[in-house]
Amino acid sequence: MGHIVLLGLPGSGKTSLGRMASARLDMPFVDVDAEIEKLFKMPIRRIFEKHGEKSFRDAESAATREALLREAPSVIAAGGGAILRQENVSAMRDLGFVIFIDRPSKLIARDVPLDGSRPLFTDPDKLYEMERVRRALYIDAADRTLENREGMEEAASGLIEIIARSQPVAEYAVIGDPIAHSLSPAIHGAVFEALGVSASYSAVRVSRGGLAAFFDAAKEGCMRAFNVTSPHKRDIMPFLDHIDEEATLCGAVNTVVFRGGKSLGYNTDMDGLSASLLARGAGYEGRRVLVLGAGGAARAAVLKAALEKAAEITVLARDAKKAEEIASAFSGIAPRIRAKAMTERAMKESAAGADLLINATTLGMSGSGTFPSLEFLSALPGSAFVCDLIYDPSQTDLLKRASELALGCQNGLGMLISQAILADELFLRRGLERAALHGIIEEKLSAT
Ligand code: NAP
């Protein structure tokens, strides 16, 4: 069991509830405000008066970090203003499970004497203003929200329930079927290790029929976030409270984050692919893009190419109707987009007018079929770049032939790593050193 961190306004019940939970769960209790008062040997109100708010906030950050670095898993009542600094939010999320105790300021003002015993807490208007500014920050920083509107006993039972449920399920996971081959646990494990984040990431096999049950368990069981792979990227969408704009347009979600009790869906495949192309100087902008395939990855590649101003886009698929469906979905965004059946002839003709080829079919993947002929590659201009989304094997026949033709090329590993780092930024709610992490992951994968 890791640390449990309680957030909330002054007077929301963090200390009382934290004490009750620590007694019932036999975990040590740390009240960050009390630690600071011990350090300064004076009440918080006096610290504010004598040393000013900045000194108090500095002490609050140091005490928060110290509490989180304790070895014994503890219940920690964070200072009410700890969320005002991003460093505190990151540390709380990296090293603990964060619960927002949501007690409306009107109820706090009714119960707690506004006698100046706490700073910034002398009249109801100040408290209401504090709630206006901070409530969204608390929700944003928290894994779960506990409503504290009834009695303390009821809130304490709710808190124990959340804590109990937060433990047995993995904090992060990738779901799919099949899933045993997934590199995601190794990739995210390497990121967590590099960042000093104490969290588990597992691969969970979830069949098509088992998605609803998994989602309920993840939500109820206080999972923090999960990645989604085939066959669930579309099917997960109706379960979510909110889906971001690009994922909605794409019609696929590969990252689900629980934030303040709500489930939010994102698609990092699209940005992962463009980041990996840009890293090789092969971004979409101004290029004539040829996409093979009409599944989820093809749709993401076409949408991103359209959004990033490709000069023109051609989609070829064995089922022409599926290619046409993608083309018509994005014809309003892309200046020139066309779709055709993936015949030998269409491949050659389209290759002759393309400078970025993306293979988004499963052809060439271990255990799948291969392209009947790779002759179409010879039709590509000499400056064209070939991207195969497949990373197993690391060099497909398509890439082998493209190399022989001295074309620039890359496999799907760059995309896989980039989409994972982008997902980690959503998990951890902060920007990361992407290039450095990319290197660390590559090293880790090559060693396994
Ligand atoms: P998907 O939704 O199942 O789409 C697969 C596509 O391949 C479909 O258009 C399918 O056509 C086509 N296809 C399968 N067999 C074919 C054949 N014999 N001839 C012609 N087309 C064929 O899968 P996806 O999620 O889009 O993934 C596609 C590829 O991208 C996979 O290799 C996957 O590993 C890779 N990928 C890589 C990353 C990464 O991070 N590198 C991320 C996502 C996907 P039908 O629709 O007619 O069946």
Side-chain angles (χ1 to χ4, degrees):
M1 181 181 278
H3 295 304
I4 301 295
V5 182
L6 306 182
L7 295 180
L9 288 169
S12 59
K14 295 182 305 263
T15 306
S16 314
L17 288 169
R19 276 192 209 293
M20 286 161 121
S22 93
R24 286 197 212 168
L25 297 167
D26 196 20
M27 289 168 79
F29 175 64
V30 185
D31 182 349
V32 171
D33 280 348
E35 295 298 310
I36 301 170
E37 288 184 333
K38 254 193 262 167
L39 186 76
F40 282 82
K41 298 193 181 62
M42 63 182 83
I44 289 177
R45 180 180 47 80
R46 287 274 299 130
I47 304 174
F48 264 68
E49 285 165 7
K50 196 161 172 216
H51 300 281
E53 181 166 355
K54 176 162 185 313
S55 298
F56 175 77
R57 295 286 169 223
D58 290 345
E60 187 178 50
S61 298
T64 304
R65 179 126 206 112
E66 202 172 299
L68 289 163
L69 290 175
R70 290 179 182 222
E71 211 168 298
S74 309
V75 178
I76 300 169
I83 35 91
L84 299 174
R85 288 191 178 174
Q86 183 55 41
E87 65 188 90
N88 297 338
V89 175
S90 298
M92 291 188 285
R93 293 194 45 78
D94 288 356
L95 300 164
F97 186 84
V98 184
I99 302 170
F100 165 40
I101 310 292
D102 187 12
R103 186 160 180 83
S105 52
K106 283 210 162 71
L107 293 184
I108 298 177
R110 192 193 65 189
D111 300 339
V112 179
L114 301 176
D115 57 3
S117 57
R118 298 180 196 226
L120 313 172
F121 196 33
T122 45
D123 71 58
D125 286 343
K126 280 194 179 160
L127 188 60
Y128 301 151
E129 176 60 11
M130 199 188 284
E131 182 180 41
R132 195 190 62 73
V133 172
R134 292 189 188 170
R135 193 164 183 279
L137 298 176
Y138 288 135
I139 289 175
D140 212 43
D143 293 293
R144 291 296 182 277
T145 296
L146 172 75
E147 289 200 1
N148 179 13
R149 285 160 201 263
E150 311 297 331
M152 268 302 177
E153 263 307 318
E154 190 157 339
S157 303
L159 179 59
I160 302 288
E161 209 175 297
I162 292 180
I163 295 173
R165 281 197 261 113
S166 74
Q167 304 306 320
V169 183
E171 292 152 289
Y172 300 97
V174 56
I175 62 162
D177 189 14
I179 199 65
H181 66 286
S182 175
L183 293 177
S184 295
I187 292 176
H188 293 278
V191 173
F192 290 173
E193 192 184 318
L195 298 176
V197 173
S198 80
S200 60
Y201 188 106
S202 352
V204 182
R205 188 177 152 264
V206 176
S207 66
R208 268 188 198 277
L211 187 59
F214 167 82
F215 185 77
D216 284 349
K219 194 168 179 178
E220 294 305 313
C222 293
M223 200 169 204
R224 293 181 126 170
F226 60 93
N227 290 121
V228 184
T229 188
S230 179
H232 303 305
K233 287 186 185 178
R234 280 181 95 85
D235 295 350
I236 194 70
M237 298 178 77
F239 292 96
L240 306 177
D241 294 315
H242 177 78
I243 299 174
D244 97 334
E245 207 179 312
E246 282 198 4
T248 305
L249 268 176
C250 185
V253 159
N254 79 331
T255 302
V256 174
V257 176
F258 291 105
R259 185 176 289 198
K262 294 256 185 284
S263 52
L264 316 177
Y266 304 88
N267 187 316
T268 65
D269 282 338
M270 288 186 285
D271 283 339
L273 175 54
S274 31
S276 72
L277 289 169
L278 275 173
R280 295 292 311 277
Y284 294 113
E285 193 175 347
R287 285 181 194 262
R288 296 164 301 166
V289 181
L290 170 57
V291 176
L292 305 180
R299 205 180 158 87
V302 171
L303 172 57
K304 206 63 190 173
L307 291 171
E308 293 190 352
K309 305 197 174 1
E312 61 180 55
I313 304 168
T314 306
V315 191
L316 300 183
R318 64 176 169 186
D319 181 343
K321 277 205 194 99
K322 289 188 185 172
E324 278 156 19
E325 196 272 317
I326 294 186
S328 78
F330 303 134
S331 59
I333 309 172
R336 292 187 62 197
I337 184 161
R338 61 186 162 212
K340 287 184 193 166
M342 200 170 91
T343 59
E344 193 65 36
R345 186 169 159 197
M347 286 164 89
K348 270 191 199 155
E349 280 173 7
S350 307
D355 28 39
L356 173 59
L357 167 73
I358 297 175
N359 175 34
T361 72
T362 49
L363 291 171
M365 195 165 82
S366 294
S368 297
T370 51
F371 284 97
S373 158
L374 290 169
E375 238 180 81
F376 69 98
L377 287 177
S378 311
L380 285 166
S383 58
F385 191 85
V386 177
C387 173
D388 198 332
L389 299 191
I390 293 168
Y391 51 85
D392 178 21
S394 59
Q395 195 181 35
T396 56
D397 289 345
L398 181 90
L399 292 181
K400 215 179 284 173
R401 183 72 193 123
S403 293
E404 284 164 9
L405 292 166
L407 298 169
C409 52
Q410 71 174 25
N411 68 14
L413 193 62
M415 173 188 178
L416 184 75
I417 294 177
S418 294
Q419 63 77 30
I421 294 172
L422 294 172
D424 284 325
E425 291 190 347
L426 292 167
F427 291 173
L428 304 174
R429 300 179 201 177
R430 61 178 193 262
L432 301 174
E433 293 285 341
R434 294 178 187 173
L437 286 172
H438 213 285
I440 289 169
I441 296 167
E442 272 180 333
E443 210 170 289
K444 179 91 178 185
L445 292 179
S446 64
T448 51

